[in-house]
Amino acid sequence: MTKSSTHSKRILIVDDEPAIRQLCKRVLPEEGFKVDIAANGEVARSLIGEQEYDLYLFDIKMPLMGGKELYELLQETHPRSATKVIFMTGSAIGKDTENFLKSSGRPVLLKPFTTEELKTMIGKALREIAK
Amino acid sequence: MIEGKSTILVVDDEEQVRKLMRRILEESGYDVDTAANGNEALDKISEHSPELVLLDIKMPGKSGVEVLHELRTSHPDTAVIMATAVGDVNVAINTIRDGAYDYLTKPFNANEMVITVERALERQRLIQENRDYQLNLERKVAEQTQLLQQQLRELQAIIQELQAFAYTISHDLRGPLVTIQSFARMLRADLEEKETGRVDEDIRSIESGITKMQRLLKGILEYARIGRVVEPTENVPFREIVDETLQQLAEQVGASGASISLAETFPTVYADRTRMVQVLNNLVQNSTEYRDKNRPLTIEIGHSLSGGEVVFFVRDNGIGIKPDTLKRVPQLFYRGDRESRGTGAGLAIVKRVIEAHGGRMWIESEVGKGTTVYFTLPGKATGETHQGRRSAQEAP
């Protein structure tokens, strides 16, 4: 992935875990991405209403409004954007979540992830979307 | 024979012989019955089960050898001594192969007869003792096996718990470790590239990872310390547990602005006081931690009678828990909010303490309304109630 090919890409990161937000905020701009970061589903909802992103990274487990709800919101309001979602989750998930992730067909980034894993996953997803 | 008389059946077709033998044996202290032929002998044996049978080989009708054969299958425990004329010794020897203990030759030597009978009975007694001993041994082995199997099941449960524990620990510790690793790498890069403006942020991220690890380790330690046994249990007025908890948490409760209401009276419980304070402490802390910032926090500590048992509860009007996460909440290191200061071990500790007391814990919650944690303490409390003061933090 070269920086010139991604310089205009905008990514929305939604995670209630400060360490993850910190990591994304730090790593992704260095790769040439424009990054918006939300600490909860409510903030993310208003950002989603304002503009479309090239990629969305949603944490599954958040209080009140989680990644699943955000994804469903996108499906309703911006169906095209819903195909640009990557989910982030820890490995300790319930059967329901597992089923949801499977049926969504969207990529899942398992936490905790390294910066390399993050970059690889984003690069791969963007190439898929560009196809 | 000291313990009761041994019973002997003398079987011979000659009345003289029967009389003689009866006399000799009775003089030696035995209880003697007689039979004149094989069929009578078998009937009497079925009826009275004598310990020993003196059996003449040659009798009209059923011979002694035939009777012996039948006895071996129907009464294998009965000792049999054959009686024979001198000329029939070979037949007598064969009967030993068939299960007779010994044989006596006619005419009898009274001493020899008594000694042979004594030895036969002694052997019979040893066989019986040995059999009892074996049965007893088998019973003991079965008991021990059952005990061992139960212990094995308990051990397997402990191992399973430990495996889950180890998995959770290693998984949860990996999170902050990855954070520390990532930012340490970035710190190095920033220093190499002289991006000094970012150094502070890198260090802060590393520090927050370390803090998180410390918190996790504290939770693990706290959880591990509970052990499997809660001791010592005593009769404690539950109100004292409540008061001690609120004293411990005075600062935190004050800062949260919570108003706390308590039941007017509380029963006395049979419990480990320190652990119960730990339980309430965790529950009240959770309520302050997960309060809804849009309304003033209220926490209610009370109890009710349900199905004949006292159910304690801690109820708040906090943010509540989503139904799908409700069952994961009491798991070790599950945290409803990653920014919370809790270790994530709180409800796991509560659950473990309550279960160690033989009680149950469950949660009812509604998002936006609040959460109630219920628990029972089935210990043999005296049931007296303790009149409590109203708390200083009580709602007006």
Side-chain angles (χ1 to χ4, degrees):
Chain A
M1 185 181 6
T2 60
K3 292 191 180 183
S4 60
S5 69
T6 61
H7 77 280
S8 58
K9 303 285 185 200
R10 301 187 68 93
I11 304 180
L12 174 62
I13 314 275
V14 192
D15 201 315
D16 62 331
E17 200 169 348
I20 298 286
R21 296 201 300 271
Q22 196 69 15
L23 189 80
C24 293
K25 195 160 82 186
R26 175 63 199 275
V27 171
L28 299 179
E30 282 182 0
E31 297 297 309
F33 297 112
K34 286 182 180 158
V35 182
D36 282 341
I37 292 187
N40 59 59
E42 302 301 315
V43 174
R45 190 216 292 264
S46 65
L47 288 172
I48 286 168
E50 282 165 22
Q51 64 172 307
E52 281 187 40
Y53 290 86
D54 297 298
L55 204 59
Y56 302 81
L57 267 76
F58 294 158
D59 180 32
I60 284 287
K61 242 167 20 188
M62 289 186 288
L64 304 181
M65 195 171 196
K68 180 174 177 270
E69 287 77 19
L70 286 173
Y71 177 73
E72 284 163 355
L73 177 75
L74 273 186
Q75 278 184 316
E76 258 176 53
T77 58
H78 306 76
R80 216 163 47 91
S81 293
T83 63
K84 299 175 181 172
V85 171
I86 295 175
F87 290 111
M88 299 180 283
T89 180
S91 58
I93 52 170
K95 203 88 205 133
D96 291 351
T97 307
E98 202 182 312
N99 289 339
F100 162 74
L101 289 173
K102 258 185 213 153
S103 68
S104 76
R106 299 308 308 155
V108 177
L109 184 55
L110 272 184
K111 292 206 273 193
F113 47 77
T114 62
T115 53
E116 292 313 312
E117 285 164 344
L118 174 68
K119 286 190 265 186
T120 308
M121 175 64 94
I122 287 176
K124 208 175 131 196
L126 285 173
R127 280 196 301 279
E128 283 291 318
I129 293 163
K131 270 182 193 172
Chain B
M1 292 289 129
I2 299 164
E3 311 167 19
K5 284 179 174 180
S6 291
T7 52
I8 298 175
L9 178 69
V10 171
V11 189
D12 203 301
D13 55 327
E14 287 178 57
E15 199 190 346
Q16 287 297 339
V17 176
R18 292 200 298 271
K19 275 187 176 165
L20 176 70
M21 289 172 89
R22 178 196 281 272
R23 192 167 52 80
I24 295 169
L25 291 169
E26 279 180 347
E27 276 171 8
S28 297
Y30 296 107
D31 194 352
V32 182
D33 195 3
T34 59
N37 58 60
N39 283 331
E40 191 191 345
L42 286 171
D43 287 347
K44 285 198 166 170
I45 291 164
S46 294
E47 213 173 314
H48 307 299
S49 296
E51 283 157 66
L52 187 139
V53 179
L54 264 163
L55 190 55
D56 187 22
I57 290 181
K58 237 182 217 169
M59 289 184 294
K62 216 166 239 175
S63 78
V65 176
E66 284 172 277
V67 173
L68 174 68
H69 286 166
E70 284 188 39
L71 274 187
R72 282 309 85 190
T73 43
S74 65
H75 291 78
D77 290 342
T78 308
V80 180
I81 294 171
M82 306 305 284
T84 183
V86 180
D88 290 336
V89 168
N90 279 337
V91 178
I93 289 171
N94 279 336
T95 62
I96 289 174
R97 227 172 272 148
D98 290 342
Y101 170 71
D102 205 346
Y103 67 89
L104 295 166
T105 46
K106 292 181 194 177
F108 300 120
N109 172 318
N111 283 338
E112 188 193 353
M113 178 164 72
V114 170
I115 287 169
T116 307
V117 164
E118 257 172 31
R119 279 177 31 222
L121 284 170
E122 175 68 8
R123 179 166 166 272
Q124 218 50 27
R125 198 175 54 76
L126 285 174
I127 289 172
Q128 191 56 45
E129 263 181 18
N130 189 33
R131 187 176 298 142
D132 288 350
Y133 177 75
Q134 265 188 350
L135 275 176
N136 198 24
L137 198 67
E138 277 167 29
R139 195 174 44 83
K140 277 190 176 153
V141 168
E143 276 171 14
Q144 289 295 318
T145 308
Q146 208 179 4
L147 193 70
L148 278 173
Q149 278 170 337
Q150 194 195 330
Q151 285 171 336
L152 184 68
R153 278 194 295 274
E154 281 169 21
L155 266 178
Q156 280 168 335
I158 293 171
I159 289 168
Q160 223 163 31
E161 194 181 310
L162 271 176
Q163 279 171 339
F165 190 53
Y167 176 81
T168 315
I169 289 169
S170 53
H171 182 269
D172 282 54
L173 286 178
R174 226 190 120 221
L177 203 60
V178 168
T179 305
I180 292 167
Q181 196 181 30
S182 305
F183 282 95
R185 229 176 260 154
M186 287 181 220
L187 176 62
R188 179 189 295 275
D190 288 340
L191 288 174
E192 279 168 5
E193 292 162 20
K194 305 262 185 289
E195 293 264 15
T196 47
R198 285 173 161 183
V199 166
D200 194 48
E201 185 198 316
D202 294 337
I203 292 175
R204 247 185 292 134
S205 295
I206 291 170
E207 282 170 344
S208 84
I210 292 169
T211 309
K212 198 172 164 190
M213 272 190 125
Q214 281 170 331
R215 240 174 8 218
L216 281 171
L217 287 171
K218 188 173 160 239
I220 292 165
L221 210 62
E222 210 180 322
Y223 183 77
R225 275 202 198 114
I226 301 169
R228 294 189 69 79
V229 186
V230 170
E231 267 184 313
T233 38
E234 52 179 337
N235 280 323
V236 197
F238 195 81
R239 176 66 198 228
E240 288 179 15
I241 295 168
V242 174
D243 288 343
E244 201 175 324
T245 307
L246 292 177
Q247 213 171 348
Q248 280 181 4
L249 291 175
E251 202 178 322
Q252 194 169 339
V253 168
S256 73
S259 51
I260 295 190
S261 62
L262 306 177
E264 292 216 5
T265 60
F266 280 100
T268 290
V269 293
Y270 189 68
D272 178 333
R273 178 191 291 262
T274 316
R275 293 286 174 228
M276 284 315 300
V277 170
Q278 194 180 12
V279 162
L280 271 196
N281 187 309
N282 271 300
L283 294 179
V284 173
Q285 268 199 67
N286 274 348
S287 291
T288 61
E289 196 79 56
Y290 296 102
R291 66 179 182 273
D292 190 329
K293 275 143 195 148
N294 299 321
R295 56 173 175 262
L297 173 65
T298 61
I299 302 173
E300 185 190 350
I301 303 173
H303 57 91
S304 61
L305 207 61
S306 168
E309 67 179 340
V310 180
V311 177
F312 295 91
F313 62 82
V314 175
R315 175 174 295 141
D316 65 45
N317 64 342
I319 55 173
I321 306 164
K322 281 189 285 187
D324 58 330
T325 53
L326 200 54
K327 60 176 176 291
R328 276 207 305 278
V329 163
Q331 287 172 3
L332 190 58
F333 305 130
Y334 177 84
R335 278 183 301 150
D337 178 355
R338 296 202 187 85
E339 293 191 57
S340 86
R341 281 170 298 151
T343 59
L347 280 174
I349 288 169
V350 169
K351 188 160 185 280
R352 196 158 168 192
V353 171
I354 294 299
E355 282 173 2
H357 278 88
R360 292 170 294 124
M361 183 208 89
W362 66 98
I363 306 170
E364 280 174 14
S365 187
E366 200 177 328
V367 172
K369 290 258 171 77
T371 302
T372 307
V373 178
Y374 298 91
F375 59 89
T376 60
L377 288 168
K380 43 178 194 264
T382 55
E384 80 191 47
T385 54
H386 182 82
Q387 198 70 33
R389 296 161 283 111
R390 295 226 124 194
S391 164
Q393 286 132 332
E394 168 90 48

